[in-house]
Amino acid sequence: MTSFFDKQTIYRIFSSIIYSLIWIYVIITDTNTSFLIFVLTLAAGSLYELVKIKSEPYYYFRIGLIIYVIISFFSLIAIYNLHNGKALLLILCFQVWSNDIGGYIIGNLLGKNKFSNISPNKTWEGIIGSFIFCLITGKYFKALININIETNWIILCLVISIACILGDLVISKFKRISHQKDSGFFLPGHGGFLDRLDSLFLSTLIYYLIICI
């Protein structure tokens, strides 16, 4: 169990707050330039880490992930460019963050039963925590969700949470077969771009499909 008072956890909390505030700022600001610069920076960092990770026997996996990441970022920009794109992105971001926070807090406090060998730190308790936090956040944003998305808010929350978890496992699997713990350095306590954004990749794709259907 990770202490909530050790140095790494403090770094993680502080950097998460800064990271989230930047996301919120670039989404709600009146100019598109800051959003595009921020998103393209994240995309470039993610692709750089994918190329840098040595995984010669699994080059096809890396190529697939590169395509996957590129499509995810294009989907993110496409959502932003919708007439209600800012509201839609805020819903997505808070859902992804609540999923990660719920899994981290509940997993550290109560986690005992391992969820998958792909990601040894994930536990069933953490997974349940992710679902609960997503639902709590979804309840708070229920009115905003109902206005902008023609999908039941509970279903939306559960689908995004599942997508976040699976997205995390996809990147974890790639790092595991490449014998690499962290993809790089981006935020203190988080690792690289891939480590920070793994939940966002698949959830963005699924979310975009939900919006378009």
Side-chain angles (χ1 to χ4, degrees):
M1 181 183 296
T2 303
S3 169
F4 284 101
F5 298 99
D6 63 20
K7 190 174 182 178
Q8 182 179 8
T9 304
I10 293 172
Y11 280 154
R12 187 183 183 95
I13 293 172
F14 179 75
S15 58
S16 293
I17 293 172
I18 300 299
Y19 171 77
S20 301
L21 289 175
I22 294 174
W23 263 108
I24 294 171
Y25 171 77
V26 298
I27 289 173
I28 65 175
T29 187
D30 291 333
T31 60
N32 298 339
T33 305
S34 56
F35 175 81
L36 290 174
I37 291 174
F38 181 64
V39 169
L40 291 176
T41 299
L42 296 180
S46 300
L47 293 172
Y48 169 75
E49 289 179 357
L50 279 174
V51 172
K52 185 186 66 173
I53 293 176
K54 296 179 180 179
S55 58
E56 284 78 6
Y58 305 97
Y59 68 91
Y60 55 87
F61 193 176
R62 175 161 51 185
I63 293 172
L65 283 180
I66 289 173
I67 297 171
Y68 162 68
V69 168
I70 290 173
I71 295 175
S72 296
F73 278 108
F74 270 115
S75 299
L76 197 67
I77 294 172
I79 294 171
Y80 179 80
N81 287 328
L82 295 173
H83 74 280
N84 55 344
K86 292 184 178 183
L88 290 171
L89 277 185
L90 286 175
I91 292 170
L92 174 63
C93 286
F94 277 99
Q95 283 288 292
V96 172
W97 297 337
S98 62
N99 175 86
D100 291 345
I101 292 170
Y104 182 75
I105 293 177
I106 303 302
N108 274 273
L109 290 176
L110 304 175
K112 293 181 180 179
N113 300 290
K114 186 183 294 185
F115 174 70
S116 171
N117 290 328
I118 296 175
S119 184
N121 292 328
K122 279 197 179 302
T123 62
W124 280 105
E125 292 82 2
I127 297 297
I128 294 172
S130 293
F131 289 153
I132 291 174
F133 274 56
C134 271
L135 288 171
I136 292 173
T137 303
K139 178 66 175 178
Y140 182 80
F141 283 95
K142 181 180 177 181
L144 191 62
I145 292 173
N146 291 338
I147 292 173
N148 292 282
I149 306 173
E150 295 181 3
T151 302
N152 181 275
W153 69 274
I154 295 177
I155 295 176
L156 180 70
C157 293
L158 294 178
V159 169
I160 290 178
S161 184
I162 292 171
C164 287
I165 294 165
L166 293 178
D168 187 332
L169 292 177
V170 168
I171 299 300
S172 294
K173 178 65 175 179
F174 179 65
K175 291 190 298 180
R176 190 171 182 83
I177 64 177
S178 303
H179 306 290
Q180 188 151 340
K181 181 180 179 182
D182 294 324
S183 60
F185 179 84
F186 174 42
L187 290 172
H190 292 274
F193 286 87
L194 296 176
D195 293 315
R196 177 63 268 182
L197 298 168
D198 52 11
S199 298
L200 184 66
F201 296 141
L202 184 58
S203 59
T204 298
L205 291 173
I206 299 299
Y207 187 63
Y208 183 67
L209 290 176
I210 291 174
I211 293 169
C212 292
I213 292 177

Short mmCIF file of all heavy atoms in Angstrom, two decimals, residues 60-84:
data_model
loop_
_atom_site.label_atom_id
_atom_site.label_comp_id
_atom_site.label_asym_id
_atom_site.label_seq_id
_atom_site.Cartn_x
_atom_site.Cartn_y
_atom_site.Cartn_z
N TYR A 60 4.78 -4.73 -34.69
CA TYR A 60 3.41 -4.57 -35.18
C TYR A 60 2.50 -3.99 -34.11
O TYR A 60 1.57 -3.24 -34.40
CB TYR A 60 2.86 -5.92 -35.66
CG TYR A 60 2.93 -7.02 -34.62
CD1 TYR A 60 1.89 -7.20 -33.71
CD2 TYR A 60 4.04 -7.85 -34.53
CE1 TYR A 60 1.95 -8.18 -32.74
CE2 TYR A 60 4.10 -8.84 -33.57
CZ TYR A 60 3.05 -9.00 -32.67
OH TYR A 60 3.12 -9.98 -31.71
N PHE A 61 2.77 -4.35 -32.86
CA PHE A 61 2.00 -3.81 -31.73
C PHE A 61 2.25 -2.31 -31.62
O PHE A 61 1.33 -1.52 -31.44
CB PHE A 61 2.41 -4.53 -30.45
CG PHE A 61 1.49 -4.31 -29.26
CD1 PHE A 61 1.70 -4.97 -28.07
CD2 PHE A 61 0.40 -3.44 -29.33
CE1 PHE A 61 0.86 -4.79 -26.98
CE2 PHE A 61 -0.44 -3.24 -28.25
CZ PHE A 61 -0.20 -3.92 -27.07
N ARG A 62 3.52 -1.92 -31.76
CA ARG A 62 3.88 -0.50 -31.67
C ARG A 62 3.24 0.29 -32.81
O ARG A 62 2.73 1.37 -32.60
CB ARG A 62 5.39 -0.33 -31.69
CG ARG A 62 5.81 1.13 -31.71
CD ARG A 62 7.22 1.36 -31.29
NE ARG A 62 8.16 0.52 -32.00
CZ ARG A 62 9.48 0.48 -31.71
NH1 ARG A 62 9.94 1.23 -30.72
NH2 ARG A 62 10.30 -0.29 -32.38
N ILE A 63 3.27 -0.27 -34.03
CA ILE A 63 2.65 0.42 -35.16
C ILE A 63 1.16 0.60 -34.93
O ILE A 63 0.59 1.66 -35.18
CB ILE A 63 2.90 -0.38 -36.47
CG1 ILE A 63 4.38 -0.35 -36.83
CG2 ILE A 63 2.06 0.21 -37.62
CD1 ILE A 63 4.75 -1.24 -37.99
N GLY A 64 0.53 -0.45 -34.40
CA GLY A 64 -0.90 -0.37 -34.09
C GLY A 64 -1.18 0.70 -33.04
O GLY A 64 -2.16 1.45 -33.15
N LEU A 65 -0.31 0.79 -32.03
CA LEU A 65 -0.49 1.79 -30.98
C LEU A 65 -0.28 3.21 -31.51
O LEU A 65 -0.98 4.14 -31.08
CB LEU A 65 0.47 1.54 -29.82
CG LEU A 65 0.11 0.40 -28.87
CD1 LEU A 65 1.16 0.26 -27.77
CD2 LEU A 65 -1.26 0.61 -28.24
N ILE A 66 0.66 3.37 -32.42
CA ILE A 66 0.89 4.69 -33.02
C ILE A 66 -0.36 5.16 -33.75
O ILE A 66 -0.81 6.30 -33.59
CB ILE A 66 2.10 4.66 -33.97
CG1 ILE A 66 3.40 4.50 -33.17
CG2 ILE A 66 2.16 5.93 -34.83
CD1 ILE A 66 4.64 4.29 -34.02
N ILE A 67 -0.96 4.26 -34.54
CA ILE A 67 -2.20 4.59 -35.25
C ILE A 67 -3.32 4.89 -34.25
O ILE A 67 -4.09 5.85 -34.41
CB ILE A 67 -2.60 3.44 -36.19
CG1 ILE A 67 -1.54 3.25 -37.27
CG2 ILE A 67 -3.97 3.70 -36.82
CD1 ILE A 67 -1.73 2.02 -38.12
N TYR A 68 -3.40 4.07 -33.23
CA TYR A 68 -4.41 4.20 -32.16
C TYR A 68 -4.31 5.57 -31.47
O TYR A 68 -5.32 6.26 -31.26
CB TYR A 68 -4.19 3.04 -31.20
CG TYR A 68 -4.78 3.13 -29.82
CD1 TYR A 68 -6.16 3.10 -29.61
CD2 TYR A 68 -3.94 3.18 -28.70
CE1 TYR A 68 -6.68 3.13 -28.32
CE2 TYR A 68 -4.46 3.22 -27.42
CZ TYR A 68 -5.83 3.19 -27.23
OH TYR A 68 -6.34 3.21 -25.95
N VAL A 69 -3.09 5.98 -31.13
CA VAL A 69 -2.87 7.26 -30.44
C VAL A 69 -3.21 8.43 -31.36
O VAL A 69 -3.85 9.40 -30.95
CB VAL A 69 -1.42 7.36 -29.93
CG1 VAL A 69 -1.10 8.78 -29.48
CG2 VAL A 69 -1.19 6.38 -28.79
N ILE A 70 -2.79 8.35 -32.62
CA ILE A 70 -3.07 9.42 -33.58
C ILE A 70 -4.58 9.61 -33.76
O ILE A 70 -5.09 10.74 -33.72
CB ILE A 70 -2.40 9.13 -34.94
CG1 ILE A 70 -0.88 9.25 -34.82
CG2 ILE A 70 -2.91 10.10 -36.01
CD1 ILE A 70 -0.13 8.82 -36.06
N ILE A 71 -5.30 8.50 -33.93
CA ILE A 71 -6.76 8.58 -34.10
C ILE A 71 -7.42 9.14 -32.84
O ILE A 71 -8.38 9.91 -32.92
CB ILE A 71 -7.34 7.19 -34.43
CG1 ILE A 71 -6.83 6.72 -35.79
CG2 ILE A 71 -8.87 7.22 -34.44
CD1 ILE A 71 -7.25 5.31 -36.16
N SER A 72 -6.88 8.77 -31.69
CA SER A 72 -7.43 9.28 -30.42
C SER A 72 -7.32 10.80 -30.34
O SER A 72 -8.28 11.48 -29.95
CB SER A 72 -6.70 8.64 -29.23
OG SER A 72 -6.90 7.26 -29.18
N PHE A 73 -6.16 11.34 -30.71
CA PHE A 73 -5.98 12.79 -30.64
C PHE A 73 -6.80 13.51 -31.71
O PHE A 73 -7.32 14.60 -31.46
CB PHE A 73 -4.50 13.14 -30.75
CG PHE A 73 -3.75 13.01 -29.46
CD1 PHE A 73 -2.85 11.98 -29.27
CD2 PHE A 73 -3.97 13.90 -28.42
CE1 PHE A 73 -2.16 11.84 -28.07
CE2 PHE A 73 -3.30 13.78 -27.22
CZ PHE A 73 -2.39 12.75 -27.04
N PHE A 74 -6.95 12.90 -32.89
CA PHE A 74 -7.82 13.49 -33.90
C PHE A 74 -9.27 13.52 -33.40
O PHE A 74 -10.00 14.49 -33.65
CB PHE A 74 -7.73 12.70 -35.22
CG PHE A 74 -6.67 13.20 -36.15
CD1 PHE A 74 -5.57 12.40 -36.47
CD2 PHE A 74 -6.74 14.47 -36.70
CE1 PHE A 74 -4.58 12.85 -37.33
CE2 PHE A 74 -5.75 14.94 -37.56
CZ PHE A 74 -4.67 14.13 -37.88
N SER A 75 -9.67 12.47 -32.70
CA SER A 75 -11.02 12.42 -32.14
C SER A 75 -11.22 13.49 -31.08
O SER A 75 -12.28 14.12 -30.98
CB SER A 75 -11.29 11.03 -31.54
OG SER A 75 -11.20 10.02 -32.51
N LEU A 76 -10.17 13.71 -30.29
CA LEU A 76 -10.22 14.74 -29.25
C LEU A 76 -10.42 16.12 -29.88
O LEU A 76 -11.26 16.92 -29.41
CB LEU A 76 -8.92 14.71 -28.45
CG LEU A 76 -8.90 15.40 -27.09
CD1 LEU A 76 -9.79 14.67 -26.11
CD2 LEU A 76 -7.48 15.45 -26.55
N ILE A 77 -9.69 16.40 -30.93
CA ILE A 77 -9.82 17.69 -31.63
C ILE A 77 -11.18 17.79 -32.30
O ILE A 77 -11.81 18.87 -32.30
CB ILE A 77 -8.69 17.85 -32.66
CG1 ILE A 77 -7.33 17.95 -31.94
CG2 ILE A 77 -8.91 19.10 -33.52
CD1 ILE A 77 -6.14 17.92 -32.87
N ALA A 78 -11.67 16.68 -32.85
CA ALA A 78 -12.98 16.67 -33.51
C ALA A 78 -14.09 16.98 -32.50
O ALA A 78 -15.03 17.72 -32.80
CB ALA A 78 -13.23 15.31 -34.16
N ILE A 79 -13.97 16.44 -31.30
CA ILE A 79 -14.96 16.73 -30.25
C ILE A 79 -14.93 18.21 -29.90
O ILE A 79 -15.97 18.86 -29.76
CB ILE A 79 -14.69 15.87 -28.99
CG1 ILE A 79 -14.91 14.39 -29.30
CG2 ILE A 79 -15.60 16.30 -27.84
CD1 ILE A 79 -14.46 13.46 -28.20
N TYR A 80 -13.73 18.75 -29.75
CA TYR A 80 -13.57 20.16 -29.40
C TYR A 80 -14.21 21.07 -30.44
O TYR A 80 -14.76 22.13 -30.10
CB TYR A 80 -12.08 20.48 -29.26
CG TYR A 80 -11.77 21.92 -28.93
CD1 TYR A 80 -11.89 22.40 -27.63
CD2 TYR A 80 -11.35 22.80 -29.93
CE1 TYR A 80 -11.61 23.73 -27.33
CE2 TYR A 80 -11.07 24.12 -29.63
CZ TYR A 80 -11.19 24.59 -28.33
OH TYR A 80 -10.90 25.90 -28.05
N ASN A 81 -14.16 20.66 -31.70
CA ASN A 81 -14.67 21.49 -32.79
C ASN A 81 -16.18 21.39 -32.99
O ASN A 81 -16.73 22.11 -33.83
CB ASN A 81 -13.96 21.14 -34.11
CG ASN A 81 -12.52 21.63 -34.13
OD1 ASN A 81 -12.20 22.67 -33.55
ND2 ASN A 81 -11.64 20.90 -34.79
N LEU A 82 -16.84 20.53 -32.25
CA LEU A 82 -18.29 20.47 -32.31
C LEU A 82 -18.88 21.73 -31.69
O LEU A 82 -18.22 22.43 -30.91
CB LEU A 82 -18.81 19.23 -31.56
CG LEU A 82 -18.42 17.87 -32.16
CD1 LEU A 82 -18.85 16.75 -31.22
CD2 LEU A 82 -19.03 17.69 -33.54
N HIS A 83 -20.14 22.04 -32.00
CA HIS A 83 -20.73 23.29 -31.52
C HIS A 83 -20.82 23.33 -29.99
O HIS A 83 -20.79 24.39 -29.39
CB HIS A 83 -22.12 23.49 -32.14
CG HIS A 83 -23.18 22.60 -31.57
ND1 HIS A 83 -23.33 21.28 -31.97
CD2 HIS A 83 -24.14 22.82 -30.63
CE1 HIS A 83 -24.34 20.74 -31.31
NE2 HIS A 83 -24.84 21.64 -30.49
N ASN A 84 -20.93 22.15 -29.36
CA ASN A 84 -20.94 22.08 -27.90
C ASN A 84 -19.69 21.36 -27.39
O ASN A 84 -19.71 20.70 -26.35
CB ASN A 84 -22.19 21.37 -27.41
CG ASN A 84 -22.36 19.98 -28.04
OD1 ASN A 84 -21.72 19.67 -29.05
ND2 ASN A 84 -23.23 19.18 -27.48
#
